[in-house]
Amino acid sequence: MAPSRLAGFMPVTQRKHPILLALVMAVSVILPLAAFADDPTAEAATTHQGRQAANLAVFEEVWRTVRDHFYDPMFRGLDWSAVGEKYRPLAAAATIDDERSAVINRMLSELAVSHTGYYTTADPAYYQLLDIFSGGLRRSLRRFFPDGQVSYPGIGVFTRQLGGKTFITGVLEGLPAAKAGLVVGDEIIAADGEPYHPLESFATKTGQDVTLMIRRRADAPPEQVVVAPVRIKPNEAFLQAMEESARIIDAGGVKIGYIHVWSYAGTSYQQLLERELSSGKLKDADALVWDLRDGWGGAQAEYLNLFNGRAPTTTLISRDGGQSVVNMTWRKPVAMLVNDGTRSGKEILAHGFKAYGIGEVIGSRTAGAVLAGRAYLLRDGSLLLVAVADVLVDGRRLEGVGVMPTISVPFALAYAQGSDTQLDRAVEVLSRAVGAGG
């Protein structure tokens, strides 16, 4: 959201007194420093004023952007001006960036909708969303990432706070955490002897060994796991993890294909799914588990056409014998996995999958986060996500409602030790379907 020109900037048309100008500038810098040397209270006051001004600049940019672009002009019954008045002094008084961020997100939470949040460089989601929306942010992005490549230091996990403890909710296949043997349900206690932080713990240590202290069982002593963090490029990492997740599960002679779609924000993920089914690791599968749990949305409803058994599959054969499949169609049994981390476009897929009887939806209720969002890169480099359009699916609103599975399977995250009761149930259901002739 950088302006096209500097507001209030006036060009200098005459340069009659360059030396005088330099002296005035020097005095303007030296005098305050001298004063501060004798009066630390004055220095503190100036620093405090600078912090307040910076806080208010960010706050006002967030507040105005929501005012101008939020999908509901009535702000869901809120007086947006009054909301701003309520939180403005709290934001101004923040002494650190994290405190200011918390105030801004409390303000945004009053709207009680998805796709509306404030993110900073202290949060992996900042980088993930920035890469997802990088196409629309290309110009402003280069102010903060000169090469246009969004990346951050990490090991490739999603985490959640439960009872003041950090638990792994997802492990991206092929990244350091997976290679080190970390699994869903592990509690991360510390990194190199310091409290764990998903970014700060690895900020200066990419390519180096970092010792994590974890707990795998509630009654077990902590154990050490060594990981080597890398620079993660989110879109590439999600695609790589999806590809490496694809595998065949042998269920008593029945070949159950499995693939985890961590993000659907782009056509490359659906293209990869179709390649794996037509000519990749899943081509000989008797049935498919389509895992849409956790990660990010972005899916298009038309992706369900893959499971439209009435459409033909077309294979193109080139002169050299190479083959490519167009309009791939899967006619074998399929089940979908969902949970409370299944959001946005993925929920639209879950709705259609269930409503039109494509297969069983297994797991737990989806997030109920189905609005259209747009990302705004603010002047200080922070990121604002704003819901800019309401969404109806078959005339129904899924926002705040979600999609209930056809087969509910609860999952206890803490100390799960990598077990996956939802996947186990899907394999069981599909094995019976194959045995019964689909």
Side-chain angles (χ1 to χ4, degrees):
M1 295 180 63
S4 58
R5 62 182 179 86
L6 293 177
F9 175 78
M10 296 298 292
V12 178
T13 57
Q14 294 181 339
R15 301 188 60 176
K16 295 181 179 179
H17 307 291
I19 296 176
L20 178 61
L21 178 60
L23 287 173
V24 171
M25 291 177 64
V27 170
S28 69
V29 173
I30 293 171
L31 287 181
L33 290 176
F36 289 155
D38 296 330
D39 187 358
T41 303
E43 182 177 7
T46 301
T47 302
H48 177 67
Q49 290 171 358
R51 158 60 69 175
Q52 277 193 328
N55 287 345
L56 287 173
V58 174
F59 180 88
E60 294 298 344
E61 191 173 8
V62 170
W63 184 87
R64 287 194 307 269
T65 302
V66 174
R67 178 196 65 188
D68 296 342
H69 299 285
F70 188 64
Y71 78 93
D72 181 2
M74 303 306 294
F75 300 97
R76 293 173 53 80
L78 293 176
D79 181 337
W80 191 239
S81 293
V83 170
E85 292 301 320
K86 173 182 175 181
Y87 288 98
R88 188 171 286 107
L90 300 177
T95 57
I96 58 175
D97 289 350
D98 284 352
E99 187 179 341
R100 179 184 67 199
S101 298
V103 170
I104 291 174
N105 274 315
R106 272 164 43 207
M107 176 180 73
L108 297 175
S109 71
E110 298 232 5
L111 293 165
V113 296
S114 68
H115 293 75
T116 302
Y118 176 72
Y119 303 86
T120 70
T121 55
D123 186 349
Y126 166 88
Y127 301 92
Q128 293 163 10
L129 286 168
L130 202 56
D131 208 18
I132 286 170
F133 286 96
S134 59
L137 298 172
R138 190 172 295 108
R139 289 184 180 179
S140 52
L141 190 64
R142 290 189 177 275
R143 287 189 290 134
F144 307 100
F145 296 87
D147 61 358
Q149 293 289 324
V150 178
S151 67
Y152 66 96
I155 58 174
V157 294
F158 288 98
T159 60
R160 179 180 298 174
Q161 294 290 313
L162 292 176
K165 299 177 181 179
T166 301
F167 291 95
I168 295 177
T169 60
V171 181
L172 295 177
E173 294 84 352
L175 291 184
K179 292 177 180 178
L182 292 170
V183 296
V184 170
D186 284 348
E187 177 194 354
I188 306 180
I189 302 169
D192 281 345
E194 299 292 332
Y196 172 77
H197 185 277
L199 289 175
E200 292 175 7
S201 294
F202 313 115
T204 61
K205 300 178 180 180
T206 55
Q208 305 174 33
D209 285 348
V210 173
T211 300
L212 297 182
M213 191 68 69
I214 71 163
R215 183 176 283 111
R216 193 148 280 170
R217 299 196 318 271
D219 58 352
E223 56 186 274
Q224 293 183 346
V225 175
V226 177
V227 294
V230 296
R231 297 294 303 185
I232 295 175
K233 297 178 180 179
N235 288 339
E236 290 183 10
F238 292 140
L239 193 64
Q240 175 191 350
M242 178 180 170
E243 184 172 14
E244 298 211 15
S245 76
R247 66 184 188 271
I248 296 292
I249 300 170
D250 188 342
V254 178
K255 298 176 181 178
I256 308 295
Y258 170 86
I259 193 164
H260 195 152
V261 186
W262 290 100
S263 171
Y264 247 137
T267 59
S268 57
Y269 303 100
Q270 185 69 6
Q271 291 167 356
L272 173 59
L273 173 60
E274 294 181 7
R275 284 199 305 274
E276 290 292 352
L277 291 174
S278 63
S279 58
K281 288 178 279 187
L282 306 180
K283 64 182 177 62
D284 296 322
D286 300 314
L288 174 67
V289 177
W290 192 19
D291 192 347
L292 302 189
R293 294 175 296 179
D294 299 314
W296 300 99
Q300 304 297 316
E302 65 193 44
Y303 293 168
L304 290 176
N305 290 337
L306 172 63
F307 306 104
N308 179 6
R310 296 182 179 86
T313 296
T314 306
T315 303
L316 304 181
I317 305 172
S318 62
R319 179 174 176 171
D320 62 3
Q323 297 186 10
S324 59
V325 176
V326 181
N327 300 325
M328 168 66 191
T329 300
W330 178 264
R331 297 188 178 91
K332 302 173 186 178
V334 56
M336 175 187 288
L337 294 183
V338 299
N339 65 5
D340 62 358
T342 303
R343 64 182 74 190
S344 194
K346 286 182 177 178
E347 294 185 83
I348 297 175
L349 296 180
H351 165 85
F353 197 87
K354 175 182 177 180
Y356 304 116
I358 295 173
E360 300 288 0
V361 179
I362 299 172
S364 55
R365 184 195 295 266
T366 64
V370 189
L371 295 172
R374 180 180 297 158
Y376 297 86
L377 190 57
L378 306 185
R379 287 183 176 90
D380 71 334
S382 56
L383 189 72
L384 176 65
L385 188 64
V386 179
V388 295
D390 202 354
V391 176
L392 299 180
V393 183
D394 284 341
R396 294 177 49 210
R397 214 165 175 265
L398 297 181
E399 173 73 12
V401 177
V403 177
M404 280 296 297
T406 58
I407 300 176
S408 293
V409 180
F411 177 73
L413 171 63
Y415 312 111
Q417 301 181 61
S419 65
D420 193 339
T421 53
Q422 294 169 341
L423 175 58
D424 292 344
R425 186 63 180 277
V427 170
E428 175 191 337
V429 168
L430 290 172
S431 296
R432 289 203 307 266
V434 172

